[in-house]
Amino acid sequence: MPGVTLLGDAAHLTAPNGEGANAAMLDAAELGQALAAGSDVEPALTAYEQALFARSAEPVAFEGTEVHGLESEKNTA
């Protein structure tokens, strides 16, 4: 969809351990740089999304999930 992109929790699978906020700040910084580098929104969104997709393809570490009670041996749901 032209003129629309995702960032933060909407663009990344994260455990509820605060990493979503970190991803949102990095996404915002990268999107801001892409927008500042040019005068047209669509090429800026494309540049941002290329970096986002490459970064999002990396495996997500779910460290610290025991703090939130998500470890499998205690999860009875």
Side-chain angles (χ1 to χ4, degrees):
M1 176 177 283
V4 176
T5 193
L6 300 174
L7 56 96
D9 287 352
H12 305 278
L13 174 64
T14 60
N17 62 1
E19 288 302 315
N22 294 335
M25 288 187 286
L26 180 56
D27 290 347
E30 287 182 345
L31 180 56
Q33 288 176 335
L35 290 168
S39 59
D40 192 14
V41 172
E42 288 306 317
L45 291 178
T46 299
Y48 159 73
E49 288 172 348
Q50 287 175 342
L52 168 72
F53 296 155
R55 195 166 25 91
S56 296
E58 298 172 9
V60 177
F62 289 100
E63 297 175 16
T65 56
E66 68 280 353
V67 174
H68 300 283
L70 298 176
E71 64 274 23
S72 60
E73 63 271 3
K74 291 184 182 177
N75 188 350
T76 58

